[in-house]
Amino acid sequence: MYHPDSSACIVVDGKLVAAVEEERFNRIKHYSGFPSESIKFCLNKAGIKIENVDYIAIPRKPQARVLNKIFYGIRIPKMTFKRVQAWQKTFNVKEKLSQIFEIPSEKIKAKIIKVEHHLAHLSSSFLISPFDKAFLYSHDALGDFASTMWGIGEGNKIKVFEDIAFPHSLGFYYTAITQYLGFLKFGDEYKVMGLASYGNEFLDVFNDILQIKDYKFELNLSYFLHHKKLIDLNLEGEPKIDILFSEYLEKKLGKRREKDEPIEKKHENIAFSLQRRLEEVVFHLLNSLYKKYNLDTKNICMSGGVSYNCVLNGKIFDNTEFDNVYIIPAPGDAGLCIGSAFYVWNCYLNNPRDFIMEHAYYGPDYSEKEIEDEILKRKDEIILRGFKIEKVEDEDLLCKVTAQKVSEGKIVGFFHGRMEFGPRALGARSIICDPRKKEMKDILNKRIKNREPFRPFAPSILEENTAEYFEKSHPSPFMLFAYQVKKDKQDKIPAVTHVDGTGRLQTVSKKTNPLYWKVIKEFENITGIPCVLNTSFNESEPIVNKPEEAINCFLRTKMDTLVIGNFIIS
Ligand SMILES: [Fe+2]
């Protein structure tokens, strides 16, 4: 709360019951503020009243790194003011809840536990992972004045080894260069990651910007501004981030690219070097730490916003000692709610671990009646627009028809079951298309997505066929790994093969999403290809949550077909 990607979850008897980001309700991307609607949804889903909650976990600990905070507070007085404001809000949680639920705050008996930001990150990936023992590593921009933390997890115990404090931060490193390249919105780093696969090396400057110091890293601060001024992320509303890079960076790399200027070869080279240096440094850290702590595990749990870097994640297997990687579906700050809640259950209350987060479908769902009512409300408009509404009760037939439409080159909105937690659409709120058609990317961009042309689209592939199409087959259920597409398969799925020959894949398991699995299986039966192109169901907005939003998005854009519950609108 009061940080970007505000979210909430509920854990009942050690099991995750519900988790959701506030942006899905208020429709403000990366919303920063109090997750009121998310809390209401989680309590409703669990059938629990706020009065009966035992613990409230908050992923923020004002006491952490106090000396560091005072040092920078003196240099940047505005920062102190903002921090005090943020801290105050963590003390007013019961008051806020009493307003939301319209009950006296004394009725809220829950004990409030504050968990340090990066400890919550480490917990978010380990305590819900399949591993009994693992090395834990978190890297982001900043949280409780640290940017990186590592430790070891075993059973229900987490031991933190060390951290790297502000102002040295891989998150700020990536964001500053993202801004230099003309992408100014909060969360734009993933765009630059797509651009990074173009171009040649530009490494000298980047070796100077991001330096290795023994088993850690340091930023050369002459390239940055974040240690000199307030980085105000907005406590309420859509987060915006000030410019982080200095004039010195422009002196070294030339004038920044303005937002609307064309992307030139030079920009591609810079993005490439940015990514390459990040990978070098992270692999150096992981390898040094492996030796330093004499680790006897090949498992690693990763978290923090930099863990969205699927290109880096996909290379861990070949560049480090680690063979098994688990990353929560929302390794950024949205996942902190899960980390802090499980920290309380497993570590604070000393309960054994008894839950693995195997899928991301913990958001809201809607009954067939709710979906039907929404369609009936819009029936005239739908028919007037020339669409036909069909109800298909038989699930096998629904999957067959969906696969048929995709194989005919249609753009299909697919809305089923509980919404995904985390920023990736994974077959519950997805738009799916035929990956065999190279032109599909441009068609999608022209008709719906309007993305930068260099950005790739991702494949959803049947888990059991992964090794047939990709050089690696380690599961990627949350679309957080990019692997090389096998040479002989690249021309079979050109719409989801990036220019560097990789694909940021989702492996789809029959166990965790049987319906989506069946659609892809039917697509394979028709085409011989066990994968579809999958992109999020939205158009310049947070992913759709309610049926109403799906129908709006369908009618607003040039989608061909909407498969929603038992209905097919085409
Ligand atoms: Fe974070």
Side-chain angles (χ1 to χ4, degrees):
M1 58 176 205
Y2 300 114
H3 57 68
D5 296 317
S6 178
S7 63
C9 78
I10 189 158
V11 174
V12 180
D13 296 335
K15 303 267 196 299
L16 182 65
V17 173
V20 69
E21 294 103 314
E22 190 71 3
E23 63 157 32
R24 305 295 163 86
F25 296 108
N26 64 21
R27 315 303 296 157
I28 299 170
K29 259 193 171 185
H30 299 293
Y31 176 76
S32 176
F34 195 83
S36 314
E37 294 305 311
S38 307
I39 294 170
K40 282 185 201 164
F41 156 73
C42 288
L43 289 169
N44 263 338
K45 197 74 194 169
I48 290 170
K49 285 186 165 182
I50 188 71
E51 298 94 304
N52 300 328
V53 170
D54 296 320
Y55 293 90
I56 297 172
I58 298 173
R60 173 173 270 166
K61 199 164 190 178
Q63 306 94 301
R65 283 169 212 83
V66 168
L67 289 177
N68 210 327
K69 285 169 181 169
I70 292 172
F71 176 76
Y72 279 97
I74 293 166
R75 292 175 69 178
I76 315 170
K78 265 191 191 166
M79 185 190 277
T80 314
F81 174 69
K82 282 279 175 185
R83 295 224 146 252
V84 170
Q85 262 189 330
W87 295 345
Q88 263 175 348
K89 293 193 180 212
T90 70
F91 292 114
N92 295 341
V93 169
K94 285 197 181 177
E95 257 170 55
K96 185 83 186 166
L97 287 169
S98 81
Q99 285 164 17
I100 294 166
F101 291 98
E102 297 175 353
I103 54 166
S105 59
E106 310 82 71
K107 285 206 160 183
I108 302 170
K109 304 267 180 341
K111 187 169 180 185
I112 292 183
I113 311 281
K114 291 176 183 167
V115 184
E116 190 185 331
H117 187 98
H118 277 276
L119 181 56
H121 271 316
L122 298 182
S123 305
S124 79
S125 259
F126 173 61
L127 296 173
I128 56 162
S129 77
F131 310 137
D132 181 54
K133 185 174 186 180
F135 183 65
L136 317 182
Y137 177 80
S138 160
H139 49 183
D140 69 2
L142 175 70
D144 279 328
F145 252 67
S147 74
T148 314
M149 187 180 271
W150 55 87
I152 193 97
E154 189 166 7
N156 65 351
K157 303 273 181 286
I158 290 177
K159 187 173 180 212
V160 173
F161 287 150
E162 220 174 326
D163 62 38
I164 296 177
F166 180 88
H168 302 290
S169 153
L170 296 175
F172 282 143
Y173 160 77
Y174 218 93
T175 304
I177 309 299
T178 298
Q179 293 175 332
Y180 169 86
L181 289 168
F183 302 94
L184 301 176
K185 281 198 171 172
F186 180 87
D188 268 354
E189 292 80 2
Y190 67 103
K191 296 182 181 174
V192 170
M193 190 180 61
L195 183 63
S197 32
Y198 290 85
N200 295 313
E201 299 197 15
F202 205 98
L203 271 175
D204 287 354
V205 182
F206 282 85
N207 290 345
D208 189 38
I209 296 175
L210 179 58
Q211 300 177 4
I212 289 170
K213 299 278 169 182
D214 192 10
Y215 59 94
K216 294 186 176 180
F217 66 83
E218 266 182 27
L219 294 178
N220 179 342
L221 293 171
S222 33
Y223 291 94
F224 297 90
L225 293 175
H226 62 280
H227 58 298
K228 286 188 179 165
K229 65 175 188 179
L230 169 74
I231 303 303
D232 185 5
L233 275 172
N234 256 2
L235 299 178
E236 241 13 289
E238 188 183 345
K240 291 187 177 62
I241 186 156
D242 290 343
I243 292 295
L244 300 178
F245 63 86
S246 71
E247 282 176 10
Y248 186 63
L249 184 79
E250 289 191 283
K251 218 174 179 177
K252 287 287 206 181
L253 292 179
K255 203 179 156 303
R256 65 191 272 189
R257 174 183 167 263
E258 296 296 336
K259 207 168 69 182
D260 301 318
E261 283 177 354
I263 291 169
E264 294 166 6
K265 189 79 193 153
K266 182 184 135 184
H267 303 126
E268 294 170 3
N269 288 348
I270 289 171
F272 183 87
S273 299
L274 162 77
Q275 175 71 24
R276 171 62 67 85
R277 185 62 181 158
L278 174 78
E279 290 167 12
E280 276 175 7
V281 169
V282 172
F283 297 145
H284 171 81
L285 252 74
L286 294 181
N287 288 325
S288 311
L289 296 172
Y290 196 90
K291 279 196 202 116
K292 180 177 165 64
Y293 299 106
N294 220 352
L295 296 179
D296 59 355
T297 175
K298 297 275 181 187
N299 304 331
I300 183 169
C301 294
M302 294 184 64
S303 50
V306 182
S307 299
Y308 281 121
N309 197 305
C310 55
V311 177
L312 182 154
N313 298 342
K315 293 178 182 171
I316 287 174
F317 308 98
D318 289 341
N319 289 280
T320 72
E321 297 290 333
F322 299 104
D323 293 336
N324 309 302
V325 187
Y326 181 86
I327 308 175
I328 179 179
D333 288 353
L336 291 172
C337 64
I338 292 182
S340 50
F342 276 93
Y343 179 84
V344 169
W345 176 256
N346 294 128
C347 303
Y348 180 81
L349 295 171
N350 203 21
N351 287 303
R353 285 166 59 205
D354 187 24
F355 174 78
I356 299 173
M357 193 168 185
E358 290 181 307
H359 63 79
Y361 312 111
Y362 286 96
D365 55 353
Y366 299 88
S367 67
E368 284 306 321
K369 168 95 175 60
E370 285 171 297
I371 293 172
E372 185 160 7
D373 286 351
E374 204 51 51
I375 294 173
L376 287 176
K377 245 194 254 170
R378 311 290 294 274
K379 197 177 167 194
D380 292 347
E381 194 185 346
I382 294 169
I383 289 171
L384 201 67
R385 291 275 304 274
F387 293 111
K388 184 175 76 178
I389 304 170
E390 289 168 89
K391 191 169 186 181
V392 182
E393 301 275 10
D394 180 75
E395 198 182 276
D396 288 345
L397 185 62
L398 186 95
C399 294
K400 259 187 196 141
V401 176
T402 305
Q404 186 65 40
K405 301 256 181 215
V406 174
S407 73
E408 288 164 5
K410 306 284 189 228
I411 298 177
V412 179
F414 194 72
F415 182 108
H416 272 277
R418 293 186 67 175
M419 184 178 66
E420 301 87 346
F421 178 66
R424 305 278 170 260
L426 301 167
R429 304 287 185 276
S430 287
I431 294 173
I432 53 178
C433 316
D434 193 335
R436 297 172 302 164
K437 298 181 167 61
K438 197 172 189 330
E439 65 279 12
M440 215 62 230
K441 188 173 142 181
D442 293 336
I443 296 172
L444 253 180
N445 270 332
K446 211 158 137 195
R447 287 170 56 181
I448 300 166
K449 288 294 194 168
N450 210 5
R451 286 178 171 190
E452 293 79 5
F454 61 83
R455 285 170 52 200
F457 284 104
S460 292
I461 186 162
L462 298 180
E463 191 179 49
E464 51 276 32
N465 293 91
T466 312
E468 210 183 299
Y469 278 75
F470 289 90
E471 297 288 353
K472 295 263 171 305
S473 57
H474 184 285
S476 176
F478 309 134
M479 233 183 228
L480 288 169
F481 297 89
Y483 301 146
Q484 280 290 322
V485 181
K486 285 196 166 165
K487 278 259 165 6
D488 62 326
K489 294 288 193 267
Q490 292 188 2
D491 62 342
K492 296 211 176 334
I493 49 170
V496 292
T497 303
H498 196 22
V499 66
D500 62 354
T502 62
R504 187 195 67 194
L505 71 166
Q506 174 199 3
T507 51
V508 181
S509 119
K510 192 176 182 179
K511 183 181 160 201
T512 57
N513 192 342
L515 194 80
Y516 190 42
W517 183 92
K518 216 183 271 179
V519 169
I520 305 173
K521 191 72 189 164
E522 289 295 346
F523 184 78
E524 186 192 23
N525 292 341
I526 300 166
T527 65
I529 305 289
C531 104
V532 295
L533 181 159
N534 171 13
T535 186
S536 50
F537 197 149
N538 60 351
E539 183 223 9
S540 313
E541 62 183 326
I543 297 176
V544 299
N545 166 19
K546 299 176 185 163
E548 180 192 350
E549 290 150 9
I551 295 169
N552 280 341
C553 182
F554 172 69
L555 292 174
R556 200 171 65 231
T557 61
K558 290 179 177 160
M559 230 178 276
D560 298 300
T561 304
L562 173 61
V563 180
I564 179 166
N566 289 335
F567 290 88
I568 300 179
I569 305 176
S570 53

